[in-house]
Amino acid sequence: MAMEAKVLESLLKEERAFPPPPHFVEKALVKDRSLYEEARADREAFWARQAENIHWFRRWDKVLDDSKAPFYQWFVGGKLNVSYNCIDRHLSTWRRTKAAIIWEGEPGDDRVLTYQDLYREVTKCANMLKELGIKRGDRVTIYLPMIPELPIAMLACARIGAPHSVVFGGFSAEALRDRINDCQAKLVITADGGWRRGNIVPLKKNCDEALAQCPSVEKVVVVRRTGQDVNMTAGRDYWWHELMAKAPIGCPPEEMDAEDMLFILYTSGTTGKPKGVVHTSGGYLVGVSTTHRLIFDIKDDDIYWCTADIGWVTGHSYIVYGPLANGCTTVMYEGSPDWPERDRFWAIVEKYGVTILYTAPTAIRAFMKWGTQWPARRDLSSLRLLGTVGEPINPEAWMWYYKYIGGERCPIVDTWWQTETGMILISPLPGVTTLKPGSATVPFPGVEAAVVNSSGEEVPLGSGGYLVIKSPWPAMLRTIYGDPDRYVQQYWSKFDGMYFTGDGARWDEDGYFWIVGRVDDVINVSGHRLGTMEIESALVDHPAVAEAAVIGKAHEIKGQAISAFVTLKEGIAGTPQLAEELKAHVAKKIGAIARPDDIFFTAELPKTRSGKIMRRLLRDIAEGRVLGDTTTLADPSVVSQIKQQYESQEA
Ligand code: WT7
């Protein structure tokens, strides 16, 4: 709880407020509160009006069907194609020759694709997929670095109605295997490798390892990126460039139902098994295009850059689908922010004249630590709007971002949302909302959020509790792939008729939301969600480990770091070498992002009489706090022993 206590403490002192600057308001898409009023008067009519910005082959019959709640349906009866909306409809306008994607590789190579170029590549890729036997409804797993082929493959899947499952390139072979098997993918698109700090991430090698245990996969398409030798299995593996050279241009878009699945994206939860979050077509596209346009105040001459990886939902919604549906120029960068030097982001802003930058608090804290000399080396005067996402931003980092990146002239939109919500739900509108550093401010028009107590009653303004969403929104997840019970259980059972976010929050006297962090066994490392159970299962999988408990410990840059308390099997000694081995084991099972920062060996773990591990007490120990209530423990002396052991291993 230290992180939460710290956030709360700093928030209580936070009194600075930043009204929208007049120069910004003057040109803003939204300048007044009328959208909020319009949405409050009739929420469904508001979303229906937003849906007019999308091209429908057939108009919907009903905006929202709640007859099977919580399996809500949006724009029922509507027919559309997401790739048609992101590409084809711009071709009959001047945007045909506008840059759709500006891509920069880590080694410094670059590529610009106009909307016409994107049309050519996506339709060729769609034909290639069809040729390989992919039909409407088949799942395709995409395991690629941040290269243009990634959005091209996603849009090609959308074009032929094959749901994609993008797996972040930082995940391990085993994590990839589990995600392929969960959705029974028929085809995998990968690359030989990707660049990360000058090193090659061996994607094809990981993929080969995974595929040894993936019977559903029939074919693999491999993009050549890094150029090293890779194994190609005859009859299964094909080079992207060879097939694309033969694929014809032009592929009619499938007419998809508004509720047909667009993609599955796996995210961590409170159990060991990642959840396949399902997003559909119509509501999702309406939600992401509307929020992208209005929150980022998108104009035709903007160069918009979201620094996330497309392997996460932020990249799906705000690098690919939202921006392209809006005919915007979206920037993509393959590599690391400190390669070759710590000014790489600022070099990219200068090189392309980026006007809108959307990044994560963890990155901002790293930039703060590296010093202002790095942004000072570059011309950042093109920037006019900044955004953050992924975790609460501490007011110090907000002020730094505001001053040294935004030159005190750019509003900052702190956007709260989740993989499950698909779109931003709580955020300022930059031409309307007065900003308070550290607050995601207020719900987007047409979104109803609240802070409730454990009985589901709204707490008074000025108090804290659980963050809930009181009514459905168009881009909401529709289910957990293959596990509808878990969908109901996880999100709709804690509070009657309301969506439970898993986050704690406070609303202040002005109704502003201050997100405090997760209230469940989920930790947020550098803006990435990891389940403690998932890491614990990976640890217990090691032959030396008897039991493990994982907690998030406050960390200056990452927000939270992973600390693991491990009990070993009889007769095994907890050596530093073993600690390293266990860290490597977790990285192998899940990926480098889940590698524990610290491993502490302990004779026992604190448990309740019913055997539940009390991670709260471990957090107290790790963060050096006075221990909380220990009366429910089976053996209260265990914690003081752990505390002693912890302190001796720390030293
Ligand atoms: C969790 C969702 C959605 C994009 C990235 C993460 C935390 C996200 C904020 C914010 C405070 C935030 C929440 C949320 N979070 N944005 N602006 N302020 N917290 O997606 O992996 O699904 O994680 O990230 O705890 O529940 P995700």
Side-chain angles (χ1 to χ4, degrees):
M1 287 315 238
M3 188 265 298
E4 300 173 11
K6 226 170 82 192
V7 173
L8 268 184
E9 194 187 297
S10 58
L11 299 187
L12 291 173
K13 282 186 287 187
E14 187 52 58
E15 279 161 4
R16 283 169 289 209
F18 296 80
H23 68 85
F24 191 96
V25 179
E26 202 187 315
K27 296 185 190 149
L29 287 182
V30 187
K31 305 171 195 280
D32 61 38
R33 311 196 48 80
S34 54
L35 273 185
Y36 290 99
E37 283 149 26
E38 184 190 321
R40 196 163 305 131
D42 189 340
R43 206 161 37 82
E44 288 179 30
F46 167 79
W47 285 118
R49 262 190 300 280
Q50 299 307 321
E52 303 283 356
N53 294 317
I54 293 301
H55 177 275
W56 299 87
F57 297 128
R58 181 187 185 275
R59 202 185 152 84
W60 61 90
D61 302 312
K62 197 169 185 339
V63 178
L64 172 64
D65 179 358
D66 57 8
S67 61
K68 296 183 210 79
F71 297 94
Y72 295 98
Q73 299 204 311
W74 283 84
F75 304 108
V76 183
K79 304 271 182 216
L80 79 164
N81 182 282
V82 169
S83 107
Y84 183 92
N85 270 283
C86 290
I87 306 169
D88 305 46
R89 72 188 166 121
H90 306 310
L91 300 182
S92 56
T93 72
W94 68 270
R95 291 193 190 95
R96 187 166 74 87
T97 53
K98 177 178 176 174
I101 296 174
I102 296 179
W103 172 80
E104 168 131 331
E106 192 184 77
D109 43 344
D110 53 27
R111 210 172 139 190
V112 177
L113 288 127
T114 63
Y115 277 93
Q116 177 69 38
D117 294 335
L118 197 56
Y119 171 81
R120 181 186 66 240
E121 297 302 312
V122 168
T123 57
K124 285 172 71 161
C125 181
N127 287 325
M128 167 177 87
L129 294 176
K130 281 189 183 168
E131 189 65 32
L132 289 169
I134 298 302
K135 290 192 249 340
R136 184 173 171 141
D138 289 340
R139 274 83 56 216
V140 173
T141 293
I142 305 178
Y143 184 59
L144 283 175
M146 282 285 285
I147 53 177
E149 287 78 2
L150 172 49
I152 289 167
M154 293 163 75
L155 290 160
C157 286
R159 193 159 193 98
I160 64 173
H164 57 68
S165 159
V166 179
V167 177
F168 172 56
F171 277 122
S172 68
E174 293 187 30
L176 173 64
R177 175 198 65 196
D178 294 346
R179 285 158 176 75
I180 291 172
N181 287 335
D182 186 78
C183 72
Q184 292 289 293
K186 208 165 145 185
L187 181 124
V188 177
I189 303 177
T190 189
D192 48 359
W195 292 110
R196 192 73 192 172
R197 284 205 180 83
N199 296 317
I200 290 174
V201 184
L203 296 171
K204 179 60 166 67
K205 194 169 151 278
N206 291 348
C207 191
D208 287 339
E209 214 180 303
L211 292 188
Q213 293 172 294
C214 296
S216 65
V217 175
E218 294 168 10
K219 308 271 185 215
V220 178
V221 181
V222 187
V223 179
R224 186 179 278 157
R225 169 63 184 143
T226 41
Q228 81 280 19
D229 277 341
V230 293
N231 160 66
M232 295 291 279
T233 302
R236 186 193 73 180
D237 300 354
Y238 301 84
W239 284 108
W240 169 287
H241 59 271
E242 288 177 5
L243 298 187
M244 285 288 274
K246 286 184 268 175
I249 298 171
C251 169
E254 281 286 315
E255 279 203 13
M256 303 303 288
D257 192 274
E259 283 297 338
D260 277 335
M261 199 189 324
L262 177 63
F263 66 84
I264 305 168
L265 184 58
Y266 288 86
T267 190
S268 299
T270 50
T271 72
K273 193 173 178 275
K275 302 178 278 196
V277 169
V278 171
H279 283 289
T280 57
S281 306
Y284 175 78
L285 198 63
V286 171
V288 298
S289 61
T290 305
T291 48
H292 178 257
R293 190 174 65 257
L294 301 180
I295 293 169
F296 296 105
D297 188 47
I298 299 299
K299 314 279 171 49
D300 254 320
D301 55 359
D302 275 313
I303 307 286
Y304 161 90
W305 181 24
C306 166
T307 69
D309 193 291
I310 294 177
W312 309 108
V313 75
T314 308
H316 281 61
S317 299
Y318 298 107
I319 297 178
V320 183
Y321 291 118
L324 297 176
N326 289 330
C328 177
T329 297
T330 180
V331 177
M332 251 181 100
Y333 168 55
E334 177 184 31
S336 162
D338 56 355
W339 190 266
E341 290 207 85
R342 290 174 163 178
D343 65 346
R344 186 62 184 273
F345 273 23
W346 321 124
I348 292 174
V349 168
E350 182 183 64
K351 180 171 173 187
Y352 301 107
V354 171
T355 58
I356 303 167
L357 177 71
Y358 188 29
T359 194
T362 184
I364 298 166
R365 289 191 297 264
F367 298 139
M368 274 173 84
K369 201 171 166 196
W370 296 343
T372 54
Q373 69 276 21
W374 298 104
R377 291 196 349 189
R378 301 290 178 171
D379 179 5
L380 305 182
S381 62
S382 56
L383 289 170
R384 66 179 191 89
L385 178 63
L386 304 175
T388 70
V389 62
E391 56 180 314
I393 183 164
N394 43 313
E396 300 70 31
W398 197 101
M399 290 307 302
W400 190 92
Y401 194 33
Y402 184 73
K403 193 162 171 197
Y404 296 105
I405 306 305
E408 297 180 285
R409 69 180 181 275
C410 307
I412 299 178
V413 288
D414 175 350
T415 62
W416 178 91
W417 58 298
Q418 308 177 300
T419 305
E420 293 87 342
T421 69
M423 65 189 233
I424 298 168
L425 294 188
I426 303 180
S427 165
L429 287 179
V432 180
T433 316
T434 292
L435 309 173
K436 299 188 191 185
S439 170
T441 75
V442 295
F444 189 78
V447 174
E448 296 185 299
V451 181
V452 301
N453 64 21
S454 51
S455 321
E457 294 146 1
E458 289 188 15
V459 300
L461 293 182
S463 336
Y466 300 100
L467 178 65
V468 296
I469 311 299
K470 296 200 290 179
S471 53
W473 62 99
M476 63 187 285
L477 82 165
R478 298 303 197 263
T479 191
I480 300 294
Y481 191 78
D483 199 350
D485 293 343
R486 191 171 175 197
Y487 166 74
V488 177
Q489 183 57 34
Q490 183 77 43
Y491 305 107
W492 300 95
S493 301
K494 192 170 170 76
F495 303 111
D496 200 27
M498 295 190 282
Y499 170 85
F500 176 48
T501 63
D503 278 354
R506 187 175 69 92
W507 45 12
D508 70 14
E509 309 298 339
D510 300 324
Y512 276 45
F513 288 73
W514 300 79
I515 313 300
V516 177
R518 303 291 303 191
V519 295
D520 50 13
D521 289 328
V522 164
I523 52 185
N524 190 324
V525 180
S526 303
H528 299 311
R529 204 198 315 180
L530 294 167
T532 52
M533 279 276 285
E534 211 176 331
I535 305 169
E536 287 164 9
S537 340
L539 284 165
V540 174
D541 175 78
H542 188 280
V545 176
E547 218 173 13
V550 164
I551 56 154
K553 176 182 169 181
H555 185 279
E556 207 190 331
I557 292 186
K558 300 193 224 182
Q560 288 187 293
I562 303 169
S563 280
F565 290 77
V566 171
T567 62
L568 296 172
K569 288 194 183 141
E570 205 73 44
I572 297 179
T575 59
Q577 294 87 303
L578 181 58
E580 287 313 307
E581 198 181 311
L582 294 182
K583 289 180 192 177
H585 188 71
V586 175
K588 182 174 187 313
K589 301 282 307 177
I590 307 175
I593 37 164
R595 175 191 291 268
D597 294 73
D598 309 297
I599 301 247
F600 290 99
F601 296 112
T602 164
E604 265 174 284
L605 291 170
K607 289 186 188 160
T608 61
R609 267 159 283 222
S610 60
K612 195 168 151 28
I613 298 173
M614 292 187 72
R615 294 189 185 75
R616 169 173 65 77
L617 294 173
L618 296 174
R619 279 194 291 264
D620 288 344
I621 293 172
E623 293 178 343
R625 260 187 315 279
V626 181
L627 294 178
D629 184 10
T630 58
T631 52
T632 53
L633 282 179
D635 177 2
S637 71
V638 165
V639 275
S640 53
Q641 284 167 28
I642 301 175
K643 198 168 155 73
Q644 271 172 18
Q645 285 166 6
Y646 183 87
E647 281 156 9
S648 69
Q649 287 180 46
E650 267 275 83

